Amino acid sequence: MFNKTAFSAKHIQSVTLYLGLLFISGPGFALNIFACEPEWQALAHEIAGPDVEVYVATSAQQDPHHVQPRPSLISAVRRADVVFCTGAGLEAGWLPVLLSKGSNPRVQRAPGLFLAAEQVTLLEKPIVLDRADGDVHASGNPHVHLDPRRMLIIAQALSARLAEIDPNNATLYQNRLASFSQRWESNIETWQSQARTLKGATVIVHHRSWSYLLDWLALEQVGELEPKPGIPPTPTHLAKLINVAETQRPYAIIYTNYNGDKAANWLAERSSVCALALPFTVETTNSNAASFDINKHPLDELFNTIISKLLAERGACTHD
Amino acid sequence: MRKQIVSFSYATALAAIAIPSYALEDLNKFNPAISVIFDGLYYHDNVKGTGPELLEQHNSVLHSDVHDHDEHAHDALTSGFNVRETEIVMSGTVDPYFDAFLTAALSGDGIELEEAWFQSRNLPAGLQLKGGKFLSGFGYHNEKHTHSWDFADQNLAYLSLLGDHGLSGNGLQLTWLAPTPFFIQLGAELLQGEELEKFGAMLDNEELAEEISAEFDPNGNGEFSVEELNFDSKSGPHLSVAFARFGPDLGTDHALQFGASVAHHNDTQSFHEESSGEAFAAQGHANLYGIQAVFKRFPPSDYGKGGYSLQGEYLRFDADERATFHTDSTEIGLPISFKQDAAYVQGSYGFAPRWQLALRTAAAGIGGTLREGNEQTETGISRQHSIALSWYATEFSRLRLQFSRNDINFGTHDIDTSQDGNFNQVFLQYNLSLGAHGAHTF
């Protein structure tokens, strides 16, 4: 009797172990990644490959500050092996709910929780923290993805993190990082040389979401359409910017679709400065990973578009 | 400012004994996230400020409100300026195993614990355990905190069957989230269920005995003891709740959620005064059923413009009790049964950046019947229609103007007969959140 029990226990143990291995590191195993924003979905595919399932929580048409923790996101977090988000308070209104309701201990902390903003130095870290200054982020500006140099550092950290979580595929992540890095470094050189004529130019932005792009290309921001971060443009504030536009002669007024074009156009019509809509992130039409074509390298496409739109702006904007 | 001064003096003291001053700063990072919710309003109605009271007196088979007046008097709005409960909210991670959350409401009457619970962090297989005092997962609106409502007041449907504060209590909740590509959540709760206002109300027996001796004096000597109520007191927990929620994945722009809930209370007590002058106390058990649907379209662009939502819930209440005391002693033991439904539908639309318009219609007393032996009395329907205009200055503050038109059926309630039940209410509300960035649930 005793022997039999001991045998069954051992038997069950080995079966459990076998099943465990099958689920955790079996040959068919692929990581399930939850990306808060489309740029991280694209980067995750670059590093983990096109076959990995990457669920993206938001689209390029949404302001990542304001997203509701909808039920399907809670389910997606539940299934995820890795949650890949920006951090630095960008998702403060929704990611904590997802992590808390997602009932998934794997992703509540590192290594399962990977935050891009924690991998790089941040700009605009406020010295004085005061909500009277609008929606300021205590640890600095979170919109890091528009600096391709920082993107490379994040890619390196991601590859290392994925290898830590899924050691069986470590070589894959290293190899994919190597090819991404090689391509990306040459991209950076190309983009920098294309954009060298922009150096030192000034711009007005809708929201301070472009700081890393401007820092990289050595453009200077001389005004924001938002009177305070997160507060929509007011007539009084825009009227003040007319003066800035006339005296500083900025290169463009930069906004993205989800800001709405009203404020930028209003100012453009009353000054000699052009309103320029730039893509803020890569396009995803839905959250289905299958529709995402990594072979088109959407991140490369994003920077190609931004640079070419910025360059085309020079002299292209004439007012009646 | 004060905090800075304190930190500075500590730092000086610490420096004196050669402990690096950063140690103190690091400790601060372990503090829970704290926020304070300020809520106040200017209230006016065309019934001399009695609107909230009239709403409470709507015709209902749940008559426990007769005895709740004193307890909840501090919540009642008065004509003019009102500062409502100021909430202190604290939350954080206790250790690798638990998160904890606290809401305490400050008012002129002192401090009241609204919620104080822990939640497990690392149970396997999508399980999560919550314990302490918390808002029940019953229904959809029930778990919403007052500051995230689209309206200044509780909807009439909830008011009639769950009370102003909804269903909450001390106990445990276990939820399971399915590992499916769409949202499926199942939950079960076991709650003490001793502080409920409407469904599952338990009466203050001493107070009831006093009232019976004062008003009915069944013994003819002005004395009526608690024992004579014949309530067979059961030990807690009294309330069990189960709920299921389902939500398909509609992509980044839309969300849909359905849900069904059931709650069972094993020791409800009620007291009824009848127009004939008779009165009885009864004890038994009660059930509450709820179904809900919520659809949201998220604002595609700037500052909430273009987003909309639609939500509705239907609630059904039934109870089976037995008269344990009756002014006509031959009727003791008589079976008493109740049933009554309530429903509301509300929608909101972000018509401009930071501006939201919301409409709500609610009904209480639907199909209400009270069966006492062979006798049956029916309740009439009360209705409420509301419109609210909200300005969300930032995520941390909002101002709201709300108008409600009420059509309240009083039945045989003993109230001022000059009131036909039609009255209007106006609310001008502010709601501010100071401190940590609160994340809102769906």
Side-chain angles (χ1 to χ4, degrees):
Chain A
M1 188 66 182
F2 177 77
N3 278 344
K4 199 179 172 187
T5 318
F7 170 77
S8 327
K10 205 175 169 186
H11 187 71
I12 289 165
Q13 207 175 22
S14 55
V15 168
T16 317
L17 192 71
Y18 173 75
L19 282 174
L21 284 172
L22 196 71
F23 275 107
I24 295 164
S25 50
F29 177 74
L31 282 180
N32 185 325
I33 301 175
F34 176 94
C36 278
E37 288 88 22
E39 61 269 21
W40 306 134
Q41 182 192 30
L43 187 62
H45 275 303
E46 290 286 359
I47 303 304
D51 301 330
V52 163
E53 192 191 330
V54 188
Y55 185 97
V56 63
T58 57
S59 80
Q61 306 306 323
Q62 282 173 325
D63 184 344
H65 291 93
H66 305 288
V67 171
Q68 285 208 30
R70 59 182 194 272
S72 48
L73 294 187
I74 295 172
S75 291
V77 165
R78 158 83 167 89
R79 301 189 312 273
D81 300 300
V82 183
V83 167
F84 181 9
C85 294
T86 300
L90 178 67
E91 301 99 347
W94 50 287
L95 185 57
V97 177
L98 297 182
L99 296 180
S100 153
K101 299 236 168 197
S103 309
N104 182 351
R106 293 193 301 271
V107 296
Q108 280 171 345
R109 282 168 295 155
L113 180 63
F114 181 81
L115 299 176
E118 286 183 355
Q119 319 303 324
V120 293
T121 55
L122 300 187
L123 300 174
E124 298 166 7
K125 186 175 161 63
I127 297 158
V128 181
L129 260 188
D130 190 341
R131 288 258 166 77
D133 296 330
D135 185 19
V136 288
H137 298 278
S139 37
N141 188 320
H143 307 290
V144 292
H145 70 281
L146 286 183
D147 178 354
R149 301 164 305 179
R150 281 180 168 84
M151 186 65 94
L152 188 57
I153 297 170
I154 294 164
Q156 288 158 353
L158 178 67
S159 166
R161 183 67 66 86
L162 294 180
E164 183 189 339
I165 295 167
D166 176 23
N168 285 359
N169 288 313
T171 328
L172 169 83
Y173 304 134
Q174 279 152 15
N175 292 344
R176 290 198 66 94
L177 173 69
S179 78
F180 173 78
S181 300
Q182 196 182 14
R183 191 183 88 232
W184 200 250
E185 275 164 8
S186 107
N187 275 342
I188 292 178
E189 264 178 47
T190 314
W191 292 325
Q192 281 176 343
S193 93
Q194 283 168 344
R196 67 188 182 281
T197 53
L198 299 173
K199 215 171 192 170
T202 58
V203 289
I204 290 176
V205 298
H206 185 104
H207 175 77
R208 53 181 73 164
S209 32
W210 309 97
S211 304
Y212 291 90
L213 178 76
L214 305 185
D215 180 64
W216 168 51
L217 297 176
L219 288 157
E220 193 196 339
Q221 178 184 315
V222 293
E224 287 170 61
L225 299 183
E226 290 183 334
K228 302 266 164 74
I231 309 274
T234 58
T236 336
H237 179 70
L238 289 178
K240 278 186 211 154
L241 285 177
I242 296 179
N243 194 25
V244 175
E246 287 313 310
T247 53
Q248 307 253 11
R249 297 262 157 191
Y251 182 64
I253 304 161
I254 297 175
Y255 68 100
T256 195
N257 282 341
Y258 65 69
N259 298 135
D261 58 3
K262 254 171 80 179
N265 283 339
W266 188 95
L267 185 58
E269 279 161 22
R270 284 161 185 80
S271 64
S272 52
V273 189
C274 297
L276 174 63
L278 290 182
F280 183 62
T281 185
V282 302
E283 282 293 336
T284 44
T285 47
N286 63 44
S287 58
N288 187 351
S291 71
F292 195 91
D293 189 355
I294 191 61
N295 296 323
K296 286 184 180 160
H297 296 308
L299 283 171
D300 308 45
E301 210 45 51
L302 171 68
F303 284 97
N304 282 336
T305 312
I306 288 177
I307 302 282
S308 67
K309 284 202 172 194
L310 274 171
L311 289 170
E313 199 60 18
R314 174 144 286 183
C317 174
T318 50
H319 287 280
D320 305 320
Chain B
M1 194 61 182
R2 175 167 295 173
K3 197 175 170 188
Q4 272 181 342
I5 293 166
V6 171
S7 308
F8 177 72
S9 58
Y10 274 165
T12 317
L14 289 168
I17 52 167
I19 291 170
S21 60
Y22 61 78
L24 184 77
E25 207 172 285
D26 287 349
L27 278 178
N28 283 337
K29 289 182 180 165
F30 287 116
N31 285 343
I34 299 173
S35 51
V36 184
I37 316 274
F38 298 87
D39 185 26
L41 46 81
Y42 184 87
Y43 172 76
H44 184 74
D45 60 33
N46 61 351
V47 282
K48 297 178 183 156
T50 60
E53 215 173 302
L54 293 176
L55 285 177
E56 284 285 348
Q57 290 176 357
H58 73 270
N59 194 1
S60 166
V61 297
L62 294 103
H63 281 204
S64 58
D65 51 320
V66 175
H67 302 279
D68 286 347
H69 276 177
D70 296 337
E71 277 173 50
H72 295 279
H74 63 271
D75 290 345
L77 294 173
T78 51
S79 269
F81 293 104
N82 297 267
V83 171
R84 296 203 286 188
E85 289 167 343
T86 303
E87 289 182 335
I88 315 279
V89 184
M90 293 190 204
S91 63
T93 296
V94 178
D95 60 16
Y97 309 102
F98 299 104
D99 288 335
F101 183 95
L102 170 94
T103 311
L106 301 177
S107 69
D109 296 339
I111 184 160
E112 191 191 337
L113 194 64
E114 290 199 333
E115 284 180 88
W117 47 261
F118 69 86
Q119 185 170 275
S120 66
R121 285 177 62 85
N122 61 357
L123 287 187
L127 293 167
Q128 211 163 37
L129 186 71
K130 194 191 235 188
K133 183 174 186 180
F134 55 89
L135 294 166
S136 166
F138 184 96
Y140 175 74
H141 187 62
N142 192 65
E143 264 186 327
K144 296 267 172 221
H145 292 115
T146 324
H147 60 266
S148 61
W149 292 358
D150 288 337
F151 294 85
D153 61 344
Q154 178 67 281
N155 68 68
L156 185 63
Y158 264 60
L159 197 68
S160 70
L161 295 180
L162 297 166
D164 205 16
H165 297 279
L167 203 60
S168 75
N170 305 341
L172 281 175
Q173 179 194 66
L174 185 69
T175 56
W176 176 66
L177 189 61
T180 43
F182 39 84
F183 179 78
I184 290 184
Q185 188 191 46
L186 305 178
E189 294 169 358
L190 201 55
L191 297 161
Q192 199 61 14
E194 282 170 2
E195 291 171 345
L196 302 176
E197 286 178 53
K198 304 283 175 172
F199 157 73
M202 298 171 79
L203 304 176
D204 181 330
N205 295 0
E206 308 236 329
E207 199 183 303
L208 179 60
E210 274 171 38
E211 189 171 328
I212 290 173
S213 44
E215 284 185 36
F216 301 96
D217 196 11
N219 300 331
N221 58 2
E223 280 174 28
F224 181 81
S225 69
V226 171
E227 287 72 35
E228 289 174 85
L229 285 170
N230 285 316
F231 283 157
D232 170 27
S233 56
K234 288 196 172 102
S235 55
H238 301 289
L239 178 64
S240 42
V241 179
F243 56 88
R245 294 169 183 162
F246 163 73
D249 188 356
L250 302 183
T252 54
D253 298 342
H254 302 88
L256 181 63
Q257 187 186 291
F258 300 104
S261 321
V262 56
H264 176 79
H265 195 283
N266 71 2
D267 191 13
T268 56
Q269 300 163 354
S270 59
F271 179 65
H272 297 263
E273 297 176 54
E274 296 177 315
S275 44
S276 62
E278 293 193 330
F280 63 88
Q283 187 183 26
H285 52 88
N287 299 306
L288 189 68
Y289 310 90
I291 50 166
Q292 78 229 29
V294 185
F295 178 77
K296 290 188 186 183
R297 188 198 192 247
F298 304 114
S301 72
D302 52 343
Y303 316 100
K305 186 185 170 186
Y308 61 80
S309 72
L310 197 63
Q311 76 185 62
E313 291 187 67
Y314 194 92
L315 306 172
R316 166 159 290 182
F317 163 83
D318 66 44
D320 277 308
E321 298 182 353
R322 211 161 263 280
T324 56
F325 162 76
H326 204 293
T327 46
D328 174 1
S329 59
T330 61
E331 305 239 294
I332 290 179
L334 198 67
I336 317 280
S337 66
F338 314 86
K339 124 178 138 49
Q340 184 169 298
D341 297 0
Y344 77 90
V345 177
Q346 69 182 55
S348 71
Y349 176 60
F351 66 91
R354 302 200 283 176
W355 285 92
Q356 187 195 68
L357 189 70
L359 296 169
R360 178 182 73 187
T361 182
I366 304 169
T369 50
L370 165 61
R371 194 170 286 149
E372 183 196 356
N374 296 325
E375 288 172 45
Q376 181 168 317
T377 31
E378 289 181 3
T379 62
I381 295 181
S382 296
R383 295 177 191 282
Q384 181 183 52
H385 311 287
S386 310
I387 181 167
L389 179 67
S390 305
W391 183 61
Y392 290 78
T394 63
E395 279 175 277
F396 303 96
S397 68
R398 76 209 55 173
L399 302 176
R400 175 174 295 134
L401 178 64
Q402 181 183 327
F403 173 82
S404 291
R405 171 70 178 168
N406 300 285
D407 178 5
I408 301 302
N409 183 315
F410 297 116
T412 55
H413 251 288
D414 183 21
I415 58 137
D416 179 5
T417 46
S418 66
Q419 234 312 306
D420 67 355
N422 287 310
F423 61 96
N424 303 328
Q425 293 175 294
V426 178
F427 307 79
L428 184 59
Q429 183 199 13
Y430 66 83
N431 191 287
L432 316 173
S433 153
L434 170 68
H437 193 305
H440 283 166
T441 54
F442 174 78

